Amino acid sequence: MGILKDTFKIDYVKKLTNKSGEDIEKTSNWDQYNALASLVREYLTSDWVNTNDRYNEKKSKQVYYFSIEFLTGRFLLNNLVGIGIKNIVEKGLKELGFDLEEIISVEKDQGLGNGGLGRLAAGFLDSMAALSIPGHGCGIRYNYGLFEQKIIDGYQVEFPDAWLKDRNVWEIKKLDKAVEVHFYGDVRIDSNGKYYLENTSPVLAVPYDTPIVGYKNDVVNTLRLWSAQVINKEFDFSKFSRGEYMNAFKKKYDVESISQVLYPNDSYDEGKILRLKQEYFFVSAGVQGIIRSFKKMGIPINKIYDYVSIHINDTHPAMAIAELMRIFIDIEDLSWEEAWDITLKVCSYTNHTILSEALECWHVGIFKELLPRIFMIIEEINRRFCKDLFDIYNKDQNKVNDMAIISDGIIRMAYLAIVGSHSVNGVAKLHTEILKNKELHDFYTIFPAKFNNKTNGITHRRWLLNANPDLSNVITKYIGDYWVKDALNLRELIKYIDDEKFQDEIEIVKQKNKDALADYILEHNGIKVNTKSIFDVHAKRLHEYKRQTLNILHVMFLYNKLLKNPDLDFVPRTFIFAAKAAPSYYIAKQTIKLINTVGDKINNDKRIKDKIKVVFLENYSVSLAEILIPATDVSEQISTTTKEASGTGNMKFMMNGAVTIATLDGANVEIHEEVGTDNIVLFGLTEEEVYELYEKHEYNTQAIIDEDPRLKEVLDQLKNGFLSEDKELFQIIYDSLVYNDEYFVLKDFDSYVKAHERIENYYLDRERWLKMCIINIAHSGVFSSDKTILEYASGIWEAQRVPK
Ligand SMILES: *Cc1c(COP(=O)(O)O)cnc(C)c1O
């Protein structure tokens, strides 16, 4: 949209005065944010309405991306840039005596996700809007997002994330679009042989819509998040009047607990009944809403697949398959066969992990009680599938049991998702190959055409254009701004790789970002870091497979080396960690304590003359990532090969000119293909070697320790009082490494040390380093989620672009 600066200033002053009831000089930062965000939402409303009208008029196919998490972060900057008024607003505010950057930093992150999976969902919404694809999000409006992490005495302590405490400016509550979701009850059959439920406990699902703004294309799509409310007539007034004052509120409390808080587990399934309620809650509400708006078009229900795609992001929304079947059969009167045919065409599924602890399974007992009709339908899907398997495998009952959706009293949600979708995709080439050839090989054999790869991506507008404005300006100065619409244009930068002026500018920007991060570290951690040191960053969820332990053991080794020889020629390093651990994941939390303990010791040891600093930044989140990533020299992507399905942090760092130290895991494989062996620092076991070690059962950690005195020394230091008087403190980490090193930390240690030596040498050669940075930026365009989404749209959803 276009707006004059003076018009904006008048609008803003009016809004600020009205909202705050103060003279503008007396307003708080929050008032200023609230007024600006409210104004921006007003500005974009007509585009929002028009976008929906356009989709309705053209009867465009709508994509609904179902996800139990959307890790969106802040909206204000993204929306200002998207509607094309950032510069005018910035200038206007300045003239009024306000600073846009300061106002932007007031916004609370919308942190309704744990990590990569939720961030991917948010990025996909951004790309769908930017590409004019009619695509919307469907999820849960948690009252509390992922916990806020504080580090107290070196330990992680969790605090509730009360992100709705101040008003959420972006959302609109749509009470008229509320639907009922039914739990429990008895399945009955009527005189026509139709199934229905009686005696259920209904919950009201109320949608809150948030605009998802495209990039300068007048498109505004919708993220619809559902909130659980007690149905008014259900509220127990009789109890209330009988004096059971407290009991009267119990029901309300129970119902509203469904959308109260996000489960804080990344790649781990807790199997709690409340989680199952959350899943059915948003799936049922979302599907009902979709069917309702489809039916308004007056098109027969058996043609719905031409107008609607439902994407199942990991298995949490897999019940969408059964919910569609329920509505088609019980309400729309379709036959099982017809309903199944349509459901398959509507649904598609993304697999995100092969970690066994993350695979969702439900006990038949609790499932059947909570969702009796949905259970019946899954049973019938399973019965028919098993019958097919029985024929295919020549009555081999073991094979049937292996692949059954329900087996041994357990419902396997991944199998339901595969059987009930027309498309099953992995999230990086390696991951998809592992699915096809190993983890899901049997399913691949039966349904080869369903399986496909869609390598994850990131939105380059958030992670480069908005998070790193100085780098963006340099890029645009050399190659123009075509890269903002199509990130593949970043390749043009290769032309300037030998241009010394360009190299200088890249270096200056990185230094500026490092200086800013150093200020942040000083302010938050009280640690003064050397801004000329290598900023080596390991930021992602804390998990054993992501191997923060390998990183900190290597830091301890470097420290030991310096203690032995303080005058060693040594490129100063700043090792920066940021990671939340799931609150119940004990070893992960001890790893945080270990990092902080090592940090305290090293940071305060005068003998090593500030050559190493270790910093743990608390509360890793989207907005912290936006500060951290542009300031990174070295990106740590060191998961045990085969364990990280894709990773997306790896892509963000690369795009901001960091050099990656990596195992050949997930999308690191594709980063390597893009930049070539000289521009990424690889180490560690290959996929084949990992599988061989697992299969042979002869991995011997003691032999590795015996041969490597560096490793022996750091391992001893975990429990000999070197780090802490409490010698038991890190026993669990020691034991897991020495006696049960399932993530091959010790096996990869030597190779990791050598990789870091290579990093040091490359960094000393300034020109070589800058060229590596430039090549990484220039080749990062293929990891734009725009590219990923175009592949989903043509290869899975058959959705068209609907530009204005
Ligand atoms: C990108 C991102 C992640 C995912 O990081 P990985 O390195 O791919 O695990 C997690 N959390 C936040 C806040 C992110 O922005």
Side-chain angles (χ1 to χ4, degrees):
M1 71 171 263
I3 188 170
L4 295 170
K5 189 178 66 193
D6 289 332
T7 317
F8 164 72
K9 282 165 71 180
I10 294 164
D11 288 351
Y12 184 66
V13 169
K14 196 166 141 200
K15 181 66 82 191
L16 182 53
T17 324
N18 277 340
K19 289 242 163 218
S20 66
E22 302 273 359
D23 287 336
I24 67 166
E25 297 80 27
K26 291 190 186 146
T27 55
S28 67
N29 278 345
W30 191 82
D31 291 329
Q32 294 151 22
Y33 161 74
N34 185 35
L36 182 58
S38 303
L39 192 57
V40 169
R41 222 213 61 206
E42 275 174 36
Y43 285 161
L44 60 79
T45 300
S46 62
D47 281 344
W48 201 2
V49 172
N50 293 337
T51 301
N52 282 324
D53 288 349
R54 194 159 62 244
Y55 293 163
N56 284 334
E57 256 165 48
K58 299 196 172 171
K59 298 189 164 49
S60 322
K61 186 169 191 180
Q62 306 290 305
V63 176
Y64 297 95
Y65 197 85
F66 277 45
S67 179
I68 201 157
E69 303 186 0
F70 286 93
L71 184 50
T72 38
R74 292 175 177 145
F75 284 104
L76 181 52
L77 177 58
N78 200 64
N79 291 351
L80 282 168
V81 170
I83 60 176
I85 63 169
K86 183 200 159 205
N87 291 338
I88 278 177
V89 164
E90 191 165 21
K91 284 190 194 116
L93 288 172
K94 198 164 177 201
E95 289 173 19
L96 293 167
F98 300 120
D99 178 42
L100 176 61
E101 216 176 304
E102 223 170 87
I103 293 178
I104 282 168
S105 70
V106 173
E107 182 173 357
K108 280 204 170 309
D109 270 39
Q110 187 164 317
L112 308 186
N114 276 283
L117 178 143
R119 185 52 231 162
L120 185 80
F124 279 0
L125 296 183
D126 177 283
S127 282
M128 288 193 285
L131 294 164
S132 312
I133 289 170
H136 316 283
C138 175
I140 299 175
R141 181 180 179 270
Y142 301 103
N143 287 333
Y144 293 87
L146 185 60
F147 64 86
E148 204 180 305
Q149 178 198 54
K150 289 204 164 70
I151 301 300
I152 299 177
D153 189 26
Y155 289 100
Q156 164 173 300
V157 181
E158 302 95 23
F159 293 85
D161 164 47
W163 72 290
L164 289 168
K165 188 169 57 92
D166 309 319
R167 211 166 75 80
N168 175 8
V169 177
W170 302 111
E171 68 187 7
I172 298 183
K173 183 177 182 174
K174 297 270 172 75
L175 247 184
D176 59 311
K177 295 209 162 67
V179 298
E180 286 184 13
V181 175
H182 292 264
F183 294 102
Y184 302 103
D186 308 304
V187 180
R188 299 271 188 257
I189 191 158
D190 71 11
S191 53
N192 299 318
K194 295 229 121 325
Y195 290 101
Y196 66 97
L197 280 165
E198 229 175 48
N199 307 320
T200 61
S201 305
V203 170
L204 193 67
V206 180
Y208 286 73
D209 287 356
T210 299
I212 301 296
V213 178
Y215 179 73
K216 297 185 180 173
N217 61 354
D218 302 327
V219 169
V220 180
N221 288 337
T222 303
L223 166 59
R224 174 163 287 178
L225 299 178
W226 298 90
S227 177
Q229 268 189 23
V230 69
I231 296 175
N232 257 339
K233 61 177 191 279
E234 292 289 311
F235 190 67
D236 202 336
F237 282 108
S238 57
K239 271 192 182 153
F240 204 79
S241 50
R242 287 200 307 270
E244 290 185 50
Y245 192 82
M246 288 320 211
N247 269 343
F249 286 95
K250 188 174 178 309
K251 181 158 208 164
K252 182 173 156 65
Y253 176 85
D254 282 350
V255 164
E256 292 177 2
S257 71
I258 292 174
S259 55
Q260 192 66 357
V261 57
L262 166 75
Y263 274 93
N265 305 317
D266 191 69
S267 307
Y268 181 76
D269 172 40
E270 270 208 10
K272 293 270 162 65
I273 190 160
L274 180 59
R275 174 72 160 198
L276 186 59
K277 283 187 188 170
Q278 291 185 333
E279 293 180 356
Y280 184 66
F281 169 73
F282 90 94
V283 161
S284 174
V287 169
Q288 288 184 62
I290 290 165
I291 303 259
R292 182 150 85 182
S293 64
F294 171 73
K295 291 187 77 169
K296 278 197 196 135
M297 292 201 296
I299 296 166
I301 193 80
N302 61 6
K303 289 283 172 293
I304 189 170
Y305 54 81
D306 279 333
Y307 302 88
V308 168
S309 263
I310 292 180
H311 199 83
I312 298 171
N313 189 32
D314 211 331
T315 54
H316 322 110
M319 276 182 280
I321 292 159
E323 180 69 357
L324 280 169
M325 290 296 286
R326 181 185 74 80
I327 295 177
F328 290 153
I329 295 170
D330 295 355
I331 300 172
E332 301 297 332
D333 279 335
L334 299 184
S335 68
W336 179 280
E337 288 73 17
E338 205 173 8
W340 185 244
D341 179 57
I342 303 165
T343 299
L344 269 172
K345 286 179 177 160
V346 167
C347 294
S348 48
Y349 156 65
T350 297
N351 174 288
H352 279 268
T353 182
I354 58 166
L355 297 179
S356 54
E357 65 269 29
L359 295 179
E360 269 201 308
C361 290
W362 296 105
H363 284 282
V364 162
I366 64 161
F367 196 103
K368 196 171 167 176
E369 188 188 348
L370 184 70
L371 302 166
R373 179 63 183 135
I374 293 298
F375 177 73
M376 272 180 80
I377 290 167
I378 294 175
E379 240 184 350
E380 179 62 12
I381 295 172
N382 183 52
R383 191 187 66 76
R384 288 170 184 247
F385 179 54
C386 287
K387 192 164 157 278
D388 292 347
L389 290 174
F390 200 72
D391 297 341
I392 294 168
Y393 288 107
N394 287 319
K395 309 182 177 158
D396 177 350
Q397 193 58 46
N398 286 333
K399 201 77 195 173
V400 176
N401 289 344
D402 280 355
M403 297 178 71
I405 298 168
I406 307 174
S407 176
D408 281 341
I410 299 284
I411 310 173
R412 300 187 278 211
M413 301 305 273
Y415 295 0
L416 172 65
I418 296 166
V419 173
S421 300
H422 70 274
S423 166
V424 176
N425 75 282
V427 291
K429 283 183 196 167
L430 175 67
H431 171 61
T432 302
E433 288 309 305
I434 291 173
L435 292 181
K436 292 201 292 195
N437 303 328
K438 294 214 183 264
E439 299 298 320
L440 299 176
H441 181 67
D442 289 341
F443 287 90
Y444 176 58
T445 309
I446 298 186
F447 305 120
K450 288 191 186 189
F451 283 75
N452 64 93
N453 176 247
K454 297 284 170 284
T455 299
N456 281 168
I458 57 169
T459 156
H460 62 285
R461 285 168 294 273
R462 177 173 292 266
W463 295 109
L464 180 51
L465 180 69
N466 297 342
N468 200 342
D470 293 313
L471 180 57
S472 299
N473 288 338
V474 172
I475 292 170
T476 298
K477 191 168 117 190
Y478 281 83
I479 63 169
D481 67 358
Y482 307 106
W483 63 273
V484 182
K485 284 252 172 187
D486 180 356
L488 283 177
N489 288 315
L490 289 167
R491 287 247 166 95
E492 302 283 304
L493 290 172
I494 293 294
K495 277 194 238 157
Y496 302 97
I497 188 150
D498 294 313
D499 182 331
E500 285 178 24
K501 185 86 189 358
F502 180 62
Q503 292 172 3
D504 286 348
E505 291 188 56
I506 292 290
E507 185 179 41
I508 290 166
V509 165
K510 182 63 81 180
Q511 191 59 58
K512 189 177 165 196
N513 292 332
K514 286 170 73 174
D515 293 347
L517 180 59
D519 291 344
Y520 182 95
I521 291 170
L522 185 61
E523 188 187 331
H524 289 81
N525 296 56
I527 301 168
K528 197 162 176 297
V529 302
N530 175 355
T531 58
K532 300 287 177 197
S533 64
I534 298 179
F535 279 22
D536 181 306
V537 178
H538 201 166
K540 50 184 73 246
R541 283 300 286 250
L542 213 140
H543 203 295
E544 289 165 277
Y545 84 80
K546 291 177 182 279
R547 298 202 295 190
Q548 282 91 353
T549 314
L550 176 58
N551 186 337
I552 198 67
L553 289 183
H554 172 252
V555 174
M556 289 168 69
F557 154 68
L558 289 179
Y559 174 54
N560 290 335
K561 201 163 135 179
L562 279 174
L563 285 179
K564 286 172 195 126
N565 183 2
D567 294 319
L568 190 74
D569 243 349
F570 187 90
V571 183
R573 314 289 163 85
T574 302
F575 292 98
I576 302 168
F577 293 83
K580 288 180 182 175
S584 61
Y585 191 174
Y586 181 68
I587 195 166
K589 292 174 95 171
Q590 289 309 103
T591 305
I592 292 176
K593 175 65 175 170
L594 173 63
I595 293 166
N596 283 307
T597 307
V598 170
D600 277 348
K601 187 159 178 90
I602 292 179
N603 298 342
N604 297 308
D605 190 334
K606 298 274 183 308
R607 292 173 293 177
I608 63 161
K609 302 172 185 157
D610 293 331
K611 286 179 182 168
I612 305 177
K613 293 284 175 198
V614 180
V615 176
F616 190 101
L617 288 174
E618 64 185 10
N619 205 39
Y620 189 52
S621 55
V622 172
S623 50
L624 178 55
E626 287 165 359
I627 300 170
L628 196 48
I629 292 171
T632 298
D633 295 311
V634 176
S635 160
E636 296 275 351
Q637 307 300 336
I638 63 174
S639 54
T640 308
T641 299
T642 72
K643 298 290 179 188
E644 187 77 89
S646 164
T648 49
N650 46 4
M651 302 167 185
K652 300 168 199 166
F653 284 102
M654 162 199 204
M655 189 173 274
N656 281 277
V659 172
T660 313
I661 179 167
T663 48
L664 272 176
D665 197 18
N668 298 347
V669 174
E670 287 153 78
I671 293 178
H672 172 232
E673 279 173 17
E674 280 298 317
V675 301
T677 304
D678 290 343
N679 299 295
I680 183 169
V681 180
L682 297 175
F683 76 99
L685 294 167
T686 62
E687 181 206 356
E688 292 80 14
E689 289 165 338
V690 166
Y691 281 118
E692 200 181 304
L693 278 172
Y694 280 132
E695 276 151 27
K696 279 199 178 156
H697 300 289
E698 52 193 37
Y699 177 43
N700 182 348
T701 51
Q702 202 52 53
I704 297 173
I705 300 166
D706 290 343
E707 272 173 31
D708 192 338
R710 306 164 302 181
L711 201 47
K712 180 163 180 4
E713 185 174 18
V714 295
L715 288 170
D716 284 344
Q717 286 170 340
L718 292 177
K719 53 165 194 136
N720 67 6
F722 178 78
L723 292 174
S724 166
E725 282 172 20
D726 178 359
K727 294 183 182 173
E728 317 265 84
L729 194 54
F730 303 119
Q731 188 71 43
I732 185 169
I733 294 175
Y734 178 89
D735 289 347
S736 79
L737 292 171
V738 175
Y739 305 114
N740 182 27
D741 184 19
E742 62 174 310
Y743 298 104
F744 305 124
V745 172
L746 304 191
K747 183 82 185 164
D748 275 345
F749 181 78
D750 177 62
S751 168
Y752 186 59
V753 170
K754 289 183 176 130
H756 268 289
E757 286 166 2
R758 281 177 357 246
I759 294 253
E760 187 171 12
N761 288 330
Y762 298 155
Y763 193 79
L764 284 170
D765 181 349
R766 174 182 171 274
E767 193 184 330
R768 164 163 191 163
W769 187 266
L770 287 169
K771 285 184 181 173
M772 287 174 82
C773 298
I774 293 165
I775 287 173
N776 272 274
I777 301 167
H779 287 270
S780 67
V782 295
F783 298 109
S784 167
S785 47
D786 289 3
K787 178 166 172 282
T788 314
I789 281 296
L790 287 174
E791 289 168 7
Y792 274 89
S794 63
I796 298 179
W797 303 326
E798 296 186 34
Q800 310 299 317
R801 298 173 72 167
V802 185
K804 188 171 154 182

